[in-house]
Amino acid sequence: MAPLTESDSESSARAGLPEAATGSPLVRRPEPAYPRPGRVSARLAGAAALTAGVLSVVTGVLQILFPQDEDPAIDPRTRFILAMFTVSLWALAVLFLGLARYARSSWGAIVAASGTVLLTVGTITSAVNGIDLEFFPIVAIIANALWLVGAIGLCVSLVRARRMSLWLVLALPFVQVPLLFFSQIGGGTVAGAYLVVLGGVLLAGRVQQRAARIATRSAGAA
Protein backbone atom coordinates (compact mmCIF):
# COMPACT_ATOMS: atom_id res chain seq x y z
CA MET A 1 0.00 0.00 0.00
CA ALA A 2 1.27 3.47 -0.87
CA PRO A 3 2.42 5.73 1.96
CA LEU A 4 0.16 8.54 3.11
CA THR A 5 0.98 12.20 2.64
CA GLU A 6 0.05 14.80 5.24
CA SER A 7 -3.06 15.81 3.30
CA ASP A 8 -4.20 12.14 3.11
CA SER A 9 -3.70 11.81 6.84
CA GLU A 10 -5.74 14.95 7.51
CA SER A 11 -8.55 13.57 5.35
CA SER A 12 -8.50 10.33 7.34
CA ALA A 13 -8.60 12.27 10.57
CA ARG A 14 -11.61 14.28 9.40
CA ALA A 15 -13.32 11.01 8.49
CA GLY A 16 -12.77 9.74 12.01
CA LEU A 17 -10.12 7.17 11.07
CA PRO A 18 -6.86 7.01 13.02
CA GLU A 19 -3.63 6.91 11.05
CA ALA A 20 -2.95 3.35 12.19
CA ALA A 21 -6.26 2.19 10.67
CA THR A 22 -5.08 3.14 7.21
CA GLY A 23 -2.19 0.73 7.39
CA SER A 24 0.24 3.24 5.88
CA PRO A 25 2.89 5.42 7.49
CA LEU A 26 2.67 9.21 7.38
CA VAL A 27 5.15 10.74 4.93
CA ARG A 28 5.91 14.44 5.32
CA ARG A 29 6.25 16.51 2.19
CA PRO A 30 9.81 17.82 1.81
CA GLU A 31 10.51 21.51 2.36
CA PRO A 32 10.96 23.46 -0.89
CA ALA A 33 14.55 24.21 -1.80
CA TYR A 34 15.71 27.79 -1.32
CA PRO A 35 16.57 29.89 -3.18
CA ARG A 36 13.77 28.97 -5.54
CA PRO A 37 14.41 29.20 -9.29
CA GLY A 38 14.50 32.72 -10.65
CA ARG A 39 16.40 35.13 -12.86
CA VAL A 40 17.27 37.68 -10.17
CA SER A 41 20.21 36.54 -8.06
CA ALA A 42 20.74 37.60 -4.45
CA ARG A 43 23.67 39.80 -5.52
CA LEU A 44 21.58 41.53 -8.17
CA ALA A 45 18.78 42.03 -5.65
CA GLY A 46 21.33 43.41 -3.19
CA ALA A 47 22.70 45.83 -5.78
CA ALA A 48 19.15 46.93 -6.58
CA ALA A 49 18.38 47.51 -2.88
CA LEU A 50 21.61 49.47 -2.48
CA THR A 51 20.79 51.59 -5.54
CA ALA A 52 17.26 52.32 -4.35
CA GLY A 53 18.56 53.07 -0.86
CA VAL A 54 21.26 55.52 -1.90
CA LEU A 55 18.93 57.35 -4.31
CA SER A 56 16.22 57.52 -1.64
CA VAL A 57 18.64 59.03 0.87
CA VAL A 58 19.82 61.61 -1.68
CA THR A 59 16.28 62.62 -2.65
CA GLY A 60 15.28 62.76 1.01
CA VAL A 61 18.16 65.10 1.85
CA LEU A 62 17.36 67.30 -1.16
CA GLN A 63 13.76 67.62 -0.09
CA ILE A 64 14.82 68.57 3.42
CA LEU A 65 17.23 71.21 2.14
CA PHE A 66 14.98 72.51 -0.64
CA PRO A 67 11.31 72.10 0.36
CA GLN A 68 8.87 72.20 -2.56
CA ASP A 69 6.32 74.98 -2.74
CA GLU A 70 2.64 74.73 -3.70
CA ASP A 71 3.27 75.64 -7.34
CA PRO A 72 2.04 72.71 -9.50
CA ALA A 73 4.74 73.45 -12.08
CA ILE A 74 7.76 71.17 -11.77
CA ASP A 75 11.09 73.00 -11.67
CA PRO A 76 14.42 71.52 -12.88
CA ARG A 77 15.45 70.46 -9.36
CA THR A 78 12.17 68.59 -8.87
CA ARG A 79 12.64 66.91 -12.26
CA PHE A 80 16.01 65.68 -11.06
CA ILE A 81 14.40 64.29 -7.90
CA LEU A 82 11.69 62.60 -9.98
CA ALA A 83 14.35 61.02 -12.20
CA MET A 84 16.15 59.57 -9.19
CA PHE A 85 12.85 58.40 -7.70
CA THR A 86 11.99 56.68 -10.99
CA VAL A 87 15.26 54.75 -11.00
CA SER A 88 14.73 53.76 -7.37
CA LEU A 89 11.25 52.42 -8.22
CA TRP A 90 12.70 50.24 -10.98
CA ALA A 91 15.38 49.05 -8.56
CA LEU A 92 12.69 48.16 -6.01
CA ALA A 93 10.96 46.00 -8.63
CA VAL A 94 14.20 44.06 -9.15
CA LEU A 95 14.62 43.73 -5.37
CA PHE A 96 11.12 42.31 -4.92
CA LEU A 97 11.69 39.69 -7.62
CA GLY A 98 15.00 38.73 -6.03
CA LEU A 99 13.45 38.36 -2.57
CA ALA A 100 10.72 36.14 -4.05
CA ARG A 101 13.30 33.36 -4.41
CA TYR A 102 13.39 33.11 -0.60
CA ALA A 103 9.61 33.27 -0.17
CA ARG A 104 6.96 30.57 -0.28
CA SER A 105 5.39 32.09 -3.40
CA SER A 106 6.10 34.80 -5.96
CA TRP A 107 2.72 36.47 -6.36
CA GLY A 108 3.42 39.18 -3.78
CA ALA A 109 6.71 40.14 -5.39
CA ILE A 110 5.14 40.24 -8.86
CA VAL A 111 2.24 42.43 -7.68
CA ALA A 112 4.55 44.80 -5.76
CA ALA A 113 6.96 45.06 -8.70
CA SER A 114 4.05 45.78 -11.04
CA GLY A 115 2.99 48.61 -8.73
CA THR A 116 6.39 50.29 -8.59
CA VAL A 117 6.89 50.02 -12.35
CA LEU A 118 3.39 51.37 -13.02
CA LEU A 119 4.11 54.32 -10.75
CA THR A 120 7.05 55.27 -12.96
CA VAL A 121 4.57 55.99 -15.75
CA GLY A 122 3.37 58.91 -13.65
CA THR A 123 6.82 60.08 -12.54
CA ILE A 124 8.24 60.01 -16.08
CA THR A 125 5.32 61.87 -17.66
CA SER A 126 5.42 64.47 -14.88
CA ALA A 127 9.14 65.01 -15.30
CA VAL A 128 8.89 65.26 -19.10
CA ASN A 129 5.86 67.57 -19.18
CA GLY A 130 6.81 69.68 -16.18
CA ILE A 131 3.43 69.10 -14.53
CA ASP A 132 1.30 66.20 -13.31
CA LEU A 133 -1.05 65.11 -16.09
CA GLU A 134 -4.75 64.50 -15.49
CA PHE A 135 -4.43 60.72 -15.38
CA PHE A 136 -1.64 60.79 -12.78
CA PRO A 137 -3.90 60.51 -9.69
CA ILE A 138 -5.63 57.40 -11.07
CA VAL A 139 -2.33 55.76 -12.01
CA ALA A 140 -0.87 56.64 -8.60
CA ILE A 141 -3.81 55.14 -6.69
CA ILE A 142 -3.68 51.85 -8.63
CA ALA A 143 0.12 51.65 -8.50
CA ASN A 144 0.31 52.39 -4.77
CA ALA A 145 -2.40 49.82 -4.03
CA LEU A 146 -0.55 47.15 -6.01
CA TRP A 147 2.71 48.06 -4.29
CA LEU A 148 1.19 47.88 -0.79
CA VAL A 149 -0.78 44.65 -1.30
CA GLY A 150 2.17 42.99 -3.00
CA ALA A 151 4.65 44.07 -0.33
CA ILE A 152 2.40 42.70 2.43
CA GLY A 153 1.98 39.43 0.54
CA LEU A 154 5.72 39.14 -0.02
CA CYS A 155 6.41 39.88 3.63
CA VAL A 156 4.01 37.17 4.82
CA SER A 157 5.46 34.68 2.35
CA LEU A 158 9.03 35.45 3.48
CA VAL A 159 8.05 35.03 7.14
CA ARG A 160 6.48 31.66 6.40
CA ALA A 161 9.58 30.50 4.54
CA ARG A 162 11.83 31.53 7.50
CA ARG A 163 14.87 32.01 5.23
CA MET A 164 15.37 35.67 6.15
CA SER A 165 15.66 37.42 9.50
CA LEU A 166 12.39 38.88 10.75
CA TRP A 167 13.89 42.32 11.38
CA LEU A 168 14.67 42.57 7.67
CA VAL A 169 11.39 41.15 6.43
CA LEU A 170 8.84 42.92 8.65
CA ALA A 171 9.98 46.39 7.60
CA LEU A 172 9.42 45.66 3.89
CA PRO A 173 5.75 46.80 3.64
CA PHE A 174 6.54 50.05 5.48
CA VAL A 175 9.08 51.32 2.92
CA GLN A 176 6.25 52.87 0.94
CA VAL A 177 5.10 55.08 3.84
CA PRO A 178 8.16 57.35 4.25
CA LEU A 179 8.97 57.26 0.52
CA LEU A 180 5.56 58.57 -0.52
CA PHE A 181 3.58 60.03 2.35
CA PHE A 182 6.49 61.69 4.16
CA SER A 183 8.62 62.49 1.13
CA GLN A 184 8.19 66.24 1.55
CA ILE A 185 9.89 66.14 4.96
CA GLY A 186 12.72 63.85 3.90
CA GLY A 187 11.10 60.48 4.54
CA GLY A 188 13.30 59.00 1.83
CA THR A 189 16.26 59.10 4.21
CA VAL A 190 14.55 56.62 6.57
CA ALA A 191 13.46 54.23 3.83
CA GLY A 192 16.82 54.61 2.13
CA ALA A 193 18.75 53.69 5.27
CA TYR A 194 16.77 50.45 5.59
CA LEU A 195 17.27 49.60 1.91
CA VAL A 196 21.01 50.20 2.17
CA VAL A 197 21.22 47.79 5.11
CA LEU A 198 19.10 45.20 3.26
CA GLY A 199 21.29 45.55 0.18
CA GLY A 200 24.42 45.10 2.27
CA VAL A 201 23.05 41.93 3.84
CA LEU A 202 22.18 40.48 0.43
CA LEU A 203 25.52 41.41 -1.11
CA ALA A 204 27.40 39.94 1.85
CA GLY A 205 25.68 36.59 1.27
CA ARG A 206 24.03 36.50 4.70
CA VAL A 207 20.63 35.46 3.32
CA GLN A 208 22.16 32.69 1.21
CA GLN A 209 24.16 31.43 4.20
CA ARG A 210 21.08 31.39 6.42
CA ALA A 211 19.10 29.46 3.79
CA ALA A 212 21.95 26.94 3.45
CA ARG A 213 22.16 26.42 7.24
CA ILE A 214 18.43 25.83 7.53
CA ALA A 215 18.51 23.42 4.59
CA THR A 216 21.35 21.49 6.24
CA ARG A 217 19.49 21.25 9.55
CA SER A 218 16.30 20.13 7.78
CA ALA A 219 18.21 17.44 5.87
CA GLY A 220 19.82 16.22 9.10
CA ALA A 221 16.48 16.10 10.91
CA ALA A 222 14.97 14.08 8.07
Side-chain angles (χ1 to χ4, degrees):
M1 183 178 294
L4 285 177
T5 63
E6 282 185 296
S7 58
D8 295 330
S9 177
E10 290 171 1
S11 300
S12 299
R14 286 195 297 267
L17 296 175
E19 291 178 17
T22 63
S24 299
L26 174 64
V27 177
R28 292 185 178 276
R29 290 194 179 96
E31 281 284 323
Y34 296 97
R36 298 189 302 114
R39 294 185 177 181
V40 180
S41 66
R43 292 189 64 83
L44 179 56
L50 200 60
T51 300
V54 170
L55 290 176
S56 297
V57 170
V58 173
T59 56
V61 171
L62 288 175
Q63 289 179 310
I64 292 174
L65 297 177
F66 306 102
Q68 292 176 300
D69 53 32
E70 299 300 324
D71 188 352
I74 298 175
D75 58 27
R77 183 176 61 246
T78 305
R79 290 188 181 189
F80 180 63
I81 291 175
L82 282 174
M84 289 192 293
F85 183 53
T86 298
V87 176
S88 69
L89 289 173
W90 286 334
L92 282 174
V94 176
L95 170 63
F96 293 147
L97 296 178
L99 292 178
R101 299 185 63 195
Y102 297 91
R104 282 294 184 95
S105 64
S106 299
W107 75 265
I110 294 172
V111 172
S114 300
T116 58
V117 172
L118 178 60
L119 190 56
T120 63
V121 174
T123 59
I124 292 173
T125 55
S126 296
V128 170
N129 291 280
I131 193 170
D132 292 339
L133 300 184
E134 293 182 358
F135 66 83
F136 178 78
I138 298 176
V139 172
I141 291 173
I142 297 174
N144 290 332
L146 290 172
W147 182 357
L148 178 60
V149 171
I152 293 174
L154 176 59
C155 176
V156 172
S157 190
L158 286 168
V159 170
R160 291 183 61 202
R162 301 191 305 275
R163 263 50 183 186
M164 292 184 64
S165 300
L166 285 179
W167 70 271
L168 282 174
V169 172
L170 294 179
L172 201 59
F174 297 98
V175 170
Q176 186 180 22
V177 176
L179 274 181
L180 298 180
F181 301 106
F182 296 104
S183 61
Q184 298 296 321
I185 57 175
T189 56
V190 177
Y194 162 72
L195 291 170
V196 168
V197 172
L198 177 58
V201 170
L202 287 166
L203 287 173
R206 299 291 180 84
V207 175
Q208 303 93 306
Q209 293 168 8
R210 177 185 172 92
R213 286 197 304 269
I214 294 176
T216 301
R217 287 201 299 267
S218 300

Short mmCIF file of all heavy atoms in Angstrom, two decimals, residues 30-77:
data_model
loop_
_atom_site.label_atom_id
_atom_site.label_comp_id
_atom_site.label_asym_id
_atom_site.label_seq_id
_atom_site.Cartn_x
_atom_site.Cartn_y
_atom_site.Cartn_z
N PRO A 30 8.53 17.13 1.58
CA PRO A 30 9.81 17.82 1.81
C PRO A 30 9.66 19.34 1.69
O PRO A 30 8.81 19.84 0.96
CB PRO A 30 10.71 17.27 0.70
CG PRO A 30 9.77 16.86 -0.38
CD PRO A 30 8.53 16.35 0.33
N GLU A 31 10.49 20.06 2.45
CA GLU A 31 10.51 21.51 2.36
C GLU A 31 11.01 21.93 0.98
O GLU A 31 11.90 21.30 0.42
CB GLU A 31 11.45 22.08 3.43
CG GLU A 31 10.85 22.15 4.82
CD GLU A 31 9.87 23.30 4.96
OE1 GLU A 31 10.12 24.38 4.38
OE2 GLU A 31 8.85 23.10 5.63
N PRO A 32 10.44 22.98 0.41
CA PRO A 32 10.96 23.46 -0.89
C PRO A 32 12.39 23.94 -0.75
O PRO A 32 12.80 24.42 0.30
CB PRO A 32 10.00 24.61 -1.24
CG PRO A 32 9.40 25.03 0.06
CD PRO A 32 9.31 23.81 0.90
N ALA A 33 13.14 23.79 -1.81
CA ALA A 33 14.55 24.21 -1.80
C ALA A 33 14.64 25.72 -2.01
O ALA A 33 13.96 26.29 -2.86
CB ALA A 33 15.31 23.48 -2.89
N TYR A 34 15.47 26.35 -1.20
CA TYR A 34 15.71 27.79 -1.32
C TYR A 34 17.19 28.03 -1.62
O TYR A 34 18.03 27.34 -1.07
CB TYR A 34 15.31 28.52 -0.04
CG TYR A 34 13.84 28.45 0.28
CD1 TYR A 34 13.35 27.50 1.16
CD2 TYR A 34 12.94 29.34 -0.29
CE1 TYR A 34 11.99 27.43 1.46
CE2 TYR A 34 11.59 29.28 0.01
CZ TYR A 34 11.12 28.32 0.89
OH TYR A 34 9.78 28.26 1.18
N PRO A 35 17.49 29.01 -2.46
CA PRO A 35 16.57 29.89 -3.18
C PRO A 35 15.82 29.16 -4.28
O PRO A 35 16.36 28.27 -4.93
CB PRO A 35 17.48 30.97 -3.76
CG PRO A 35 18.80 30.30 -3.91
CD PRO A 35 18.90 29.35 -2.76
N ARG A 36 14.57 29.56 -4.48
CA ARG A 36 13.77 28.97 -5.54
C ARG A 36 14.28 29.47 -6.89
O ARG A 36 14.96 30.48 -6.96
CB ARG A 36 12.30 29.32 -5.35
CG ARG A 36 11.73 28.77 -4.05
CD ARG A 36 10.21 28.92 -3.94
NE ARG A 36 9.78 30.31 -4.04
CZ ARG A 36 9.05 30.79 -5.04
NH1 ARG A 36 8.70 30.02 -6.05
NH2 ARG A 36 8.67 32.05 -5.05
N PRO A 37 13.94 28.77 -7.97
CA PRO A 37 14.41 29.20 -9.29
C PRO A 37 13.95 30.61 -9.62
O PRO A 37 12.84 31.02 -9.28
CB PRO A 37 13.78 28.17 -10.24
CG PRO A 37 13.54 26.96 -9.38
CD PRO A 37 13.20 27.49 -8.03
N GLY A 38 14.83 31.36 -10.27
CA GLY A 38 14.50 32.72 -10.65
C GLY A 38 15.65 33.38 -11.37
O GLY A 38 16.79 32.91 -11.29
N ARG A 39 15.38 34.46 -12.06
CA ARG A 39 16.40 35.13 -12.86
C ARG A 39 17.17 36.18 -12.07
O ARG A 39 18.25 36.60 -12.50
CB ARG A 39 15.76 35.78 -14.08
CG ARG A 39 15.16 34.78 -15.07
CD ARG A 39 14.65 35.48 -16.32
NE ARG A 39 14.13 34.53 -17.29
CZ ARG A 39 13.64 34.86 -18.48
NH1 ARG A 39 13.60 36.15 -18.83
NH2 ARG A 39 13.19 33.94 -19.31
N VAL A 40 16.63 36.63 -10.95
CA VAL A 40 17.27 37.68 -10.17
C VAL A 40 18.05 37.04 -9.03
O VAL A 40 17.46 36.47 -8.10
CB VAL A 40 16.24 38.68 -9.61
CG1 VAL A 40 16.94 39.77 -8.80
CG2 VAL A 40 15.43 39.30 -10.75
N SER A 41 19.37 37.12 -9.09
CA SER A 41 20.21 36.54 -8.06
C SER A 41 20.18 37.40 -6.80
O SER A 41 19.73 38.55 -6.82
CB SER A 41 21.65 36.41 -8.55
OG SER A 41 22.21 37.70 -8.77
N ALA A 42 20.69 36.84 -5.71
CA ALA A 42 20.74 37.60 -4.45
C ALA A 42 21.66 38.81 -4.59
O ALA A 42 21.38 39.88 -4.04
CB ALA A 42 21.22 36.69 -3.33
N ARG A 43 22.75 38.67 -5.33
CA ARG A 43 23.67 39.80 -5.52
C ARG A 43 23.03 40.90 -6.34
O ARG A 43 23.20 42.09 -6.04
CB ARG A 43 24.96 39.32 -6.18
CG ARG A 43 25.81 38.40 -5.30
CD ARG A 43 27.17 38.15 -5.92
NE ARG A 43 27.95 39.37 -6.02
CZ ARG A 43 28.66 39.89 -5.02
NH1 ARG A 43 28.67 39.29 -3.84
NH2 ARG A 43 29.34 41.00 -5.20
N LEU A 44 22.27 40.53 -7.37
CA LEU A 44 21.58 41.53 -8.17
C LEU A 44 20.51 42.22 -7.33
O LEU A 44 20.34 43.45 -7.41
CB LEU A 44 20.96 40.89 -9.41
CG LEU A 44 20.18 41.82 -10.35
CD1 LEU A 44 21.06 42.99 -10.81
CD2 LEU A 44 19.65 41.05 -11.54
N ALA A 45 19.79 41.44 -6.54
CA ALA A 45 18.78 42.03 -5.65
C ALA A 45 19.44 42.96 -4.64
O ALA A 45 18.91 44.03 -4.32
CB ALA A 45 18.01 40.92 -4.94
N GLY A 46 20.61 42.56 -4.13
CA GLY A 46 21.33 43.41 -3.19
C GLY A 46 21.78 44.72 -3.83
O GLY A 46 21.68 45.79 -3.23
N ALA A 47 22.28 44.63 -5.05
CA ALA A 47 22.70 45.83 -5.78
C ALA A 47 21.51 46.75 -6.03
O ALA A 47 21.61 47.98 -5.95
CB ALA A 47 23.37 45.45 -7.09
N ALA A 48 20.35 46.14 -6.35
CA ALA A 48 19.15 46.93 -6.58
C ALA A 48 18.70 47.63 -5.29
O ALA A 48 18.32 48.80 -5.30
CB ALA A 48 18.02 46.03 -7.10
N ALA A 49 18.75 46.91 -4.17
CA ALA A 49 18.38 47.51 -2.88
C ALA A 49 19.32 48.65 -2.53
O ALA A 49 18.90 49.70 -2.04
CB ALA A 49 18.39 46.44 -1.79
N LEU A 50 20.61 48.43 -2.77
CA LEU A 50 21.61 49.47 -2.48
C LEU A 50 21.38 50.70 -3.36
O LEU A 50 21.46 51.85 -2.88
CB LEU A 50 23.00 48.90 -2.70
CG LEU A 50 24.17 49.63 -2.02
CD1 LEU A 50 23.99 49.66 -0.52
CD2 LEU A 50 25.48 48.97 -2.38
N THR A 51 21.07 50.48 -4.63
CA THR A 51 20.79 51.59 -5.54
C THR A 51 19.57 52.38 -5.09
O THR A 51 19.60 53.61 -5.01
CB THR A 51 20.57 51.06 -6.97
OG1 THR A 51 21.74 50.38 -7.41
CG2 THR A 51 20.24 52.20 -7.93
N ALA A 52 18.49 51.66 -4.80
CA ALA A 52 17.26 52.32 -4.35
C ALA A 52 17.50 53.05 -3.03
O ALA A 52 16.97 54.15 -2.83
CB ALA A 52 16.14 51.30 -4.19
N GLY A 53 18.30 52.45 -2.15
CA GLY A 53 18.56 53.07 -0.86
C GLY A 53 19.35 54.36 -0.98
O GLY A 53 19.00 55.38 -0.38
N VAL A 54 20.42 54.32 -1.75
CA VAL A 54 21.26 55.52 -1.90
C VAL A 54 20.48 56.64 -2.56
O VAL A 54 20.52 57.81 -2.12
CB VAL A 54 22.53 55.18 -2.72
CG1 VAL A 54 23.27 56.45 -3.09
CG2 VAL A 54 23.43 54.24 -1.93
N LEU A 55 19.72 56.32 -3.62
CA LEU A 55 18.93 57.35 -4.31
C LEU A 55 17.85 57.91 -3.39
O LEU A 55 17.56 59.12 -3.43
CB LEU A 55 18.31 56.76 -5.56
CG LEU A 55 19.27 56.43 -6.71
CD1 LEU A 55 18.53 55.76 -7.86
CD2 LEU A 55 19.98 57.69 -7.20
N SER A 56 17.25 57.06 -2.56
CA SER A 56 16.22 57.52 -1.64
C SER A 56 16.80 58.46 -0.59
O SER A 56 16.17 59.47 -0.22
CB SER A 56 15.55 56.33 -0.96
OG SER A 56 14.88 55.51 -1.90
N VAL A 57 17.99 58.15 -0.10
CA VAL A 57 18.64 59.03 0.87
C VAL A 57 18.96 60.38 0.23
O VAL A 57 18.73 61.45 0.84
CB VAL A 57 19.93 58.37 1.42
CG1 VAL A 57 20.74 59.38 2.23
CG2 VAL A 57 19.59 57.16 2.29
N VAL A 58 19.48 60.36 -0.99
CA VAL A 58 19.82 61.61 -1.68
C VAL A 58 18.58 62.46 -1.90
O VAL A 58 18.57 63.68 -1.63
CB VAL A 58 20.53 61.31 -3.02
CG1 VAL A 58 20.72 62.60 -3.82
CG2 VAL A 58 21.87 60.65 -2.78
N THR A 59 17.50 61.85 -2.41
CA THR A 59 16.28 62.62 -2.65
C THR A 59 15.69 63.12 -1.34
O THR A 59 15.16 64.24 -1.28
CB THR A 59 15.24 61.77 -3.39
OG1 THR A 59 14.98 60.55 -2.64
CG2 THR A 59 15.71 61.39 -4.78
N GLY A 60 15.78 62.32 -0.28
CA GLY A 60 15.28 62.76 1.01
C GLY A 60 16.04 63.97 1.53
O GLY A 60 15.43 64.93 2.04
N VAL A 61 17.35 63.96 1.40
CA VAL A 61 18.16 65.10 1.85
C VAL A 61 17.84 66.34 1.01
O VAL A 61 17.72 67.45 1.55
CB VAL A 61 19.67 64.75 1.75
CG1 VAL A 61 20.51 65.99 1.99
CG2 VAL A 61 20.02 63.66 2.76
N LEU A 62 17.69 66.16 -0.30
CA LEU A 62 17.36 67.30 -1.16
C LEU A 62 16.02 67.92 -0.79
O LEU A 62 15.87 69.16 -0.81
CB LEU A 62 17.35 66.86 -2.63
CG LEU A 62 18.71 66.57 -3.27
CD1 LEU A 62 18.53 66.03 -4.68
CD2 LEU A 62 19.58 67.83 -3.28
N GLN A 63 15.06 67.08 -0.44
CA GLN A 63 13.76 67.62 -0.09
C GLN A 63 13.75 68.27 1.28
O GLN A 63 12.90 69.12 1.56
CB GLN A 63 12.70 66.51 -0.18
CG GLN A 63 12.43 66.10 -1.63
CD GLN A 63 11.41 64.99 -1.74
OE1 GLN A 63 11.53 63.96 -1.08
NE2 GLN A 63 10.40 65.18 -2.57
N ILE A 64 14.68 67.88 2.14
CA ILE A 64 14.82 68.57 3.42
C ILE A 64 15.47 69.94 3.20
O ILE A 64 15.02 70.95 3.76
CB ILE A 64 15.66 67.73 4.39
CG1 ILE A 64 14.90 66.47 4.81
CG2 ILE A 64 16.02 68.54 5.64
CD1 ILE A 64 15.72 65.51 5.65
N LEU A 65 16.50 69.96 2.38
CA LEU A 65 17.23 71.21 2.14
C LEU A 65 16.46 72.19 1.26
O LEU A 65 16.56 73.41 1.45
CB LEU A 65 18.59 70.91 1.49
CG LEU A 65 19.57 70.08 2.33
CD1 LEU A 65 20.83 69.79 1.53
CD2 LEU A 65 19.91 70.80 3.63
N PHE A 66 15.70 71.65 0.30
CA PHE A 66 14.98 72.51 -0.64
C PHE A 66 13.51 72.09 -0.68
O PHE A 66 13.07 71.39 -1.61
CB PHE A 66 15.58 72.40 -2.04
CG PHE A 66 17.06 72.66 -2.09
CD1 PHE A 66 17.96 71.60 -2.18
CD2 PHE A 66 17.56 73.95 -2.00
CE1 PHE A 66 19.32 71.83 -2.22
CE2 PHE A 66 18.92 74.19 -2.04
CZ PHE A 66 19.81 73.13 -2.14
N PRO A 67 12.73 72.49 0.32
CA PRO A 67 11.31 72.10 0.36
C PRO A 67 10.58 72.62 -0.88
O PRO A 67 10.84 73.72 -1.36
CB PRO A 67 10.78 72.79 1.63
CG PRO A 67 12.00 73.07 2.45
CD PRO A 67 13.10 73.33 1.46
N GLN A 68 9.64 71.80 -1.38
CA GLN A 68 8.87 72.20 -2.56
C GLN A 68 7.74 73.12 -2.15
O GLN A 68 7.15 72.97 -1.08
CB GLN A 68 8.31 70.96 -3.26
CG GLN A 68 9.40 70.09 -3.89
CD GLN A 68 8.80 68.83 -4.49
OE1 GLN A 68 8.19 68.04 -3.80
NE2 GLN A 68 8.98 68.66 -5.79
N ASP A 69 7.42 74.08 -3.02
CA ASP A 69 6.32 74.98 -2.74
C ASP A 69 5.01 74.40 -3.29
O ASP A 69 4.97 73.26 -3.73
CB ASP A 69 6.59 76.38 -3.33
CG ASP A 69 6.94 76.30 -4.82
OD1 ASP A 69 6.42 75.40 -5.48
OD2 ASP A 69 7.74 77.14 -5.29
N GLU A 70 3.96 75.20 -3.26
CA GLU A 70 2.64 74.73 -3.70
C GLU A 70 2.42 74.90 -5.20
O GLU A 70 1.36 74.58 -5.71
CB GLU A 70 1.55 75.49 -2.93
CG GLU A 70 1.61 75.29 -1.41
CD GLU A 70 1.44 73.84 -1.03
OE1 GLU A 70 0.66 73.13 -1.70
OE2 GLU A 70 2.09 73.41 -0.06
N ASP A 71 3.40 75.43 -5.90
CA ASP A 71 3.27 75.64 -7.34
C ASP A 71 3.22 74.28 -8.05
O ASP A 71 4.11 73.45 -7.88
CB ASP A 71 4.46 76.44 -7.85
CG ASP A 71 4.30 76.86 -9.31
OD1 ASP A 71 3.33 76.39 -9.95
OD2 ASP A 71 5.14 77.63 -9.81
N PRO A 72 2.14 74.01 -8.82
CA PRO A 72 2.04 72.71 -9.50
C PRO A 72 3.10 72.50 -10.58
O PRO A 72 3.36 71.37 -10.98
CB PRO A 72 0.63 72.73 -10.11
CG PRO A 72 0.30 74.18 -10.25
CD PRO A 72 0.97 74.87 -9.10
N ALA A 73 3.70 73.59 -11.06
CA ALA A 73 4.74 73.45 -12.08
C ALA A 73 5.98 72.80 -11.47
O ALA A 73 6.36 73.08 -10.34
CB ALA A 73 5.09 74.82 -12.66
N ILE A 74 6.60 71.93 -12.24
CA ILE A 74 7.76 71.17 -11.77
C ILE A 74 9.03 71.86 -12.25
O ILE A 74 9.26 71.96 -13.47
CB ILE A 74 7.69 69.71 -12.26
CG1 ILE A 74 6.44 69.04 -11.70
CG2 ILE A 74 8.94 68.94 -11.87
CD1 ILE A 74 6.21 67.64 -12.22
N ASP A 75 9.86 72.32 -11.30
CA ASP A 75 11.09 73.00 -11.67
C ASP A 75 12.19 71.99 -11.97
O ASP A 75 12.03 70.79 -11.74
CB ASP A 75 11.52 73.97 -10.55
CG ASP A 75 11.72 73.26 -9.22
OD1 ASP A 75 12.05 72.06 -9.21
OD2 ASP A 75 11.56 73.92 -8.18
N PRO A 76 13.33 72.45 -12.51
CA PRO A 76 14.42 71.52 -12.88
C PRO A 76 14.91 70.66 -11.71
O PRO A 76 15.23 69.48 -11.90
CB PRO A 76 15.52 72.46 -13.39
CG PRO A 76 14.78 73.64 -13.90
CD PRO A 76 13.61 73.82 -12.98
N ARG A 77 14.99 71.25 -10.50
CA ARG A 77 15.45 70.46 -9.36
C ARG A 77 14.47 69.33 -9.05
O ARG A 77 14.88 68.20 -8.76
CB ARG A 77 15.62 71.36 -8.13
CG ARG A 77 16.17 70.62 -6.92
CD ARG A 77 16.43 71.56 -5.73
NE ARG A 77 15.21 72.21 -5.28
CZ ARG A 77 14.99 73.52 -5.36
NH1 ARG A 77 15.90 74.31 -5.90
NH2 ARG A 77 13.87 74.05 -4.91
#
